[in-house]
Amino acid sequence: YQQNPKTYTIVKQLLAEGNAGELQKYFGSRMEFGTAGLRAAMGAGISHMNDLTIIQTTQGFCRYLEKNFSDLKNRGVVIGFDARAHVSSGGSSKRFARLAANTFISQGVPVYLFSDIIPTPFVPYTVTHLKLCAGIMVTASHNPKQDNGYKVYWENGAQIISPHDKGISQAIEENQEPWPQAWDDKLIDSSPLLHDPYATVNKEYFKDIQKQCFYRNINKETNLKFVHTSVHGVGHKFVQLAFKAFDLSPPFAVPEQKDPDPDFPTVKYPNPEEGKGVLTLSFALAEKDGARIILANDPDADRLAVAEKQESGEWKVFSGNELGALLGWWIFTCWKNNSRDTRAIKDVYMLSSTVSSKILRAIALKEGFHFEETLTGFKWMGNRAKQLMDQGKAVLFAFEEAIGYMCCPAVLDKDGVSAAVITAEMASFLATRNLSLSQQLKAVYEEYGFHITKASYFICHDPKVIQQLFDNLRNFDGKNTYPKSCGRFKVSGIRDLTTGYDSNQPDQKAILPTSKSSQMITFTFVNGGVATMRTSGTEPKIKYYSELCAPPGNSDVEQLKKELDELVNALEKYFFQPDKNKLQRKTE
């Protein structure tokens, strides 16, 4: 019995050809449901995103929520989707969202299903705003066009963390047979349990982010021009509305990229993190319209890249760490100067992930607020921020180096829409002081100490080699000894979050949670350098992140860069050993 003629035809064709290899690929193993939910290519079979796997996943999630919330049928869930679609398998984010809604509604659970595409941060916002039990966003963010994903938020408005992923995963295994009317998504249209939060959330979200608008008069007057690109994703309309909410003139939108297009025709990868390649059309439009600043969202608008034209005529694309430094400085300064917040500075917090720059730590030390680092990923920062807020603390800002920023307490996840408009207000304010973003970044480093970062990765498709590489680091000079130096650089501390060891703690136990399933070791060096090596959860990569933190007053940037380059070269040579381990370098 066929429910989706397109995937059915694909499988029938493979059977007719007797293509066992491809069938094995499609049906050999089920997609794994982790803390990031699902992320895979759209297509036939249980290893791909399709109608059936979405129904099965949602049935499991629904049962898991029923077990955890006695009031699920009063409160309900929210579901949003981006503009992704896959012609050959008939899959699309909208179709998947409707099937998921149908699953919940068939069990008597109210569903707040957005009637149109939205940015990912609107889902966590809605969970919090409407006090729902959970949220689902159907998106593959900045992944290649054939992919899709299913991202899950808990009642606290943050992405799920363990053990929920294991609980949901088990419930999916136990609920694989589609329920009676699972495929008939037309049923939802006449159901009293279906609600559309689109209009309310569009009004309330833009009202809430205005609490971060401090210089309306400057915004009205500024003659600074901005270019915005949504890279064929969902961001265009929402960034335009955000500028309006802050009384800024609308940014010039890159015409070829402003409308959603699941084929992402003008870019190789729809990921603004890839830097200048994705911004080619933005540079051209900025030159034509005399704009000095470019704001680029990824396709689901939860991340933001920023570029600024320098005096030399060159464009500077800020790294995630540099924009994190600027936004951290700006948001703290606005809090200090304009806040109606009566809380003492000792109740103010900022967060960043452990592989991101420690610049916020330096600002916090000097200004007297708290800084905390979390494990990698916004799920950790969102959950920690909620804990702190529940204790009456103010969490002003959180960021990660992968161009993710949380600038508003109303969204406990990264949000590229609020980050874009807050960056625009900061730039407009600085322009009244005749300062560019680059000049202000230098001023931040001069005041709080230069923080130079460098990150890259090696590709390795052999899990055994990866395991060996990390085992070697744990048994470097004989059994159970970590390296005491890396080339000429002496090691002063080691934290291994795979095993839970931390040489800097009195009991040698790491404070951050440990995970045996992924590799992650951080080395601290006598010269003020820090380097983390870790495996990627989603790709065959071993990544490294390095930083040199200088105390204020040491402003010989070239010397610091040279020192960091040498440290990174030593790290690659002695710790990665790319030739011995046959690792493939990141190609520019």
Side-chain angles (χ1 to χ4, degrees), residues 75 118 122 129 151 215 251 291 403 434 538 561:
R75 288 163 70 192
I118 51 153
F122 276 29
H129 193 73
K151 196 173 184 180
Y215 293 98
I403 63 173
N434 287 324
T538 49
K561 280 189 179 152

Side-chain angles (χ1 to χ4, degrees), residues 310-548:
Q310 305 301 293
E311 297 286 313
S312 64
E314 287 286 298
W315 284 93
K316 173 182 169 65
V317 181
F318 293 93
S319 71
N321 285 323
E322 290 173 331
L323 194 56
L326 279 168
L327 284 168
W329 162 80
W330 173 250
I331 287 166
F332 176 71
T333 306
C334 289
W335 179 86
K336 196 170 68 175
N337 296 343
N338 306 297
S339 174
R340 323 217 194 324
D341 195 336
T342 52
R343 279 175 287 206
I345 193 154
K346 66 174 173 45
D347 289 328
V348 168
Y349 281 75
M350 287 196 184
L351 313 174
S352 71
S353 71
T354 182
V355 298
S356 303
S357 169
K358 300 288 172 282
I359 184 67
L360 296 184
R361 183 180 65 187
I363 300 176
L365 276 171
K366 192 163 175 184
E367 300 292 349
F369 62 90
H370 290 272
F371 165 74
E372 275 189 21
E373 62 172 13
T374 69
L375 289 179
T376 314
F378 252 90
K379 60 187 177 203
W380 298 106
M381 286 182 271
N383 278 285
R384 181 61 182 142
K386 182 72 172 92
Q387 281 178 340
L388 289 165
M389 285 155 68
D390 287 347
Q391 295 163 19
K393 312 294 185 198
V395 180
L396 298 187
F397 178 59
F399 89 97
E400 63 178 4
E401 47 71 46
I403 63 173
Y405 312 95
M406 181 180 113
C407 305
C408 286
V411 174
L412 295 179
D413 197 11
K414 52 187 183 284
D415 178 355
V417 178
S418 58
V421 73
I422 289 168
T423 300
E425 178 171 88
M426 165 172 65
S428 303
F429 172 86
L430 289 169
T432 64
R433 307 284 192 278
N434 287 324
L435 287 167
S436 66
L437 292 174
S438 311
Q439 287 166 327
Q440 180 56 37
L441 179 64
K442 194 162 179 273
V444 169
Y445 286 147
E446 274 165 359
E447 183 163 351
Y448 301 106
F450 275 85
H451 286 59
I452 317 274
T453 57
K454 197 170 182 181
S456 192
Y457 58 81
F458 288 96
I459 294 169
C460 180
H461 291 281
D462 185 349
K464 283 204 282 294
V465 170
I466 295 178
Q467 185 63 50
Q468 244 168 332
L469 186 149
F470 281 92
D471 284 348
N472 175 46
L473 291 170
R474 296 187 181 103
N475 304 282
F476 203 75
D477 299 314
K479 198 165 165 45
N480 293 330
T481 60
Y482 291 89
K484 295 183 181 58
S485 65
C486 179
R488 72 175 178 86
F489 299 96
K490 289 209 170 357
V491 172
S492 60
I494 284 148
R495 185 189 63 191
D496 186 335
L497 288 180
T498 307
T499 63
Y501 168 77
D502 187 340
S503 66
N504 289 323
Q505 296 305 323
D507 59 356
Q508 308 224 315
K509 285 193 171 61
I511 295 167
L512 289 177
T514 315
S515 165
K516 300 243 184 309
S517 63
S518 58
Q519 300 284 356
M520 179 155 164
I521 306 179
T522 301
F523 300 93
T524 313
F525 296 93
V526 174
N527 69 346
V530 184
T532 295
M533 295 169 59
R534 65 181 276 260
T535 48
S536 161
T538 49
E539 301 158 306
K541 289 176 180 174
I542 315 171
K543 302 183 168 185
Y544 67 80
Y545 308 81
S546 65
E547 177 166 42
L548 199 54

Side-chain angles (χ1 to χ4, degrees), residues 226-237 239-240 250-261 265-267 276-289 291 293-297 305 307 315:
F226 300 90
V227 157
H228 174 250
T229 178
S230 42
V231 192
H232 304 295
V234 304
H236 171 71
K237 175 182 171 179
V239 169
Q240 296 278 327
F252 298 109
V254 175
E256 303 89 333
Q257 296 178 334
K258 81 177 176 62
D259 297 322
D261 186 335
T266 65
V267 292
K276 297 198 168 173
V278 178
L279 300 176
T280 309
L281 291 168
S282 301
F283 294 140
L285 181 66
E287 298 289 355
K288 183 176 131 273
D289 288 331
I293 292 173
I294 290 167
L295 304 164
N297 287 121
W315 284 93

Side-chain angles (χ1 to χ4, degrees), residues 70-91:
S70 55
D71 54 358
L72 178 66
K73 289 183 177 167
N74 302 332
R75 288 163 70 192
V77 299
V78 55
I79 303 176
F81 55 89
D82 68 9
R84 285 176 179 258
H86 188 241
V87 177
S88 61
S89 70

